[in-house]
Amino acid sequence: MDEKLRNMTSLYITKGDEILLLFRQCGRVVSDTWVGSAGGHFEENELNDPRACVLRELKEELGISESGIRNLLLRYVTLRRMKGEIRQNYYFFAELDNEAGDHIVSTEGISRWFPFSELSALEMPYTAKFVMEHYLRIGRKTNDMYVGVADGKRVDFTKLPEYE
């Protein structure tokens, strides 16, 4: 098998019990669906640094620098095999800084704040939907990192502890 790797990041920005999502239009991988607040493909110099990728995408897509958010954490890493690729997604979560204001415009589509209670009804990419379900049920209550493997029917998550 000659599968290629596709490395991508997504950032979900929260404020209180709301989350900022993007209705992505005309994307290379996903289109006409709700995705994270910002995100995209790694640049060559970011291959070992998903944080650098997500911060670059935040600036490019929303015009927000790192100082406009707080508590940026990598929370989920998912793997999915599809169309001759192994898709590895790094899902970050952060809180909007109070000084940033909450009227945010994206260069990639339509940005909108949603109450957590409305998320299950939204159309989202395959792994993102499972990440959001897990986050609402478990992930919001911890700062743990999880790894998820997609099998076509679901994504199974395992807590990824740090140890020596």
Side-chain angles (χ1 to χ4, degrees):
M1 300 215 159
D2 293 333
E3 285 154 319
K4 303 286 184 187
L5 291 177
R6 182 181 295 267
N7 292 296
M8 298 170 283
T9 59
S10 284
L11 171 62
Y12 290 89
I13 299 173
T14 64
K15 64 170 184 165
D17 284 341
E18 292 184 313
I19 194 163
L20 182 67
L21 296 179
L22 166 73
F23 190 76
R24 184 172 298 277
Q25 300 166 311
C26 304
R28 288 188 294 177
V29 178
V30 294
S31 286
D32 302 325
T33 189
W34 292 100
V35 296
S37 313
H41 296 85
F42 283 47
E43 298 287 332
E44 189 174 321
N45 63 325
E46 298 166 337
L47 290 179
N48 293 316
D49 193 352
R51 187 176 197 277
C53 178
V54 83
L55 288 172
R56 175 184 53 78
E57 294 286 357
L58 174 67
K59 185 68 174 168
E60 287 177 4
E61 294 180 9
L62 300 178
I64 298 174
S65 65
E66 185 175 2
S67 64
I69 58 172
R70 50 190 155 85
N71 300 324
L72 176 65
L73 293 172
L74 174 59
R75 300 298 310 284
Y76 295 88
V77 179
T78 62
L79 291 172
R80 178 180 184 192
R81 197 168 157 202
M82 182 180 178
K83 297 180 181 176
E85 296 178 328
I86 298 172
R87 295 184 179 183
Q88 191 162 281
N89 290 279
Y90 296 83
Y91 292 91
F92 287 83
F93 284 76
E95 299 165 28
L96 185 66
D97 188 84
N98 294 334
E99 303 297 315
D102 61 359
H103 181 70
I104 298 172
V105 177
S106 174
T107 62
E108 299 287 320
I110 301 163
S111 292
R112 182 174 157 208
W113 290 100
F114 286 93
F116 289 143
S117 61
E118 293 181 14
L119 298 180
S120 64
L122 298 177
E123 183 68 32
M124 293 181 185
Y126 182 81
T127 54
K129 185 82 163 170
F130 286 96
V131 164
M132 196 51 55
E133 287 174 5
H134 188 274
Y135 176 77
L136 292 174
R137 202 169 18 90
I138 297 169
R140 277 177 59 192
K141 302 170 190 153
T142 75
N143 284 330
D144 294 330
M145 185 185 305
Y146 296 90
V147 63
V149 177
D151 68 4
K153 296 178 184 165
R154 66 179 189 266
V155 177
D156 289 321
F157 291 99
T158 301
K159 183 177 162 182
L160 188 61
E162 185 171 352
Y163 62 92
E164 292 181 30

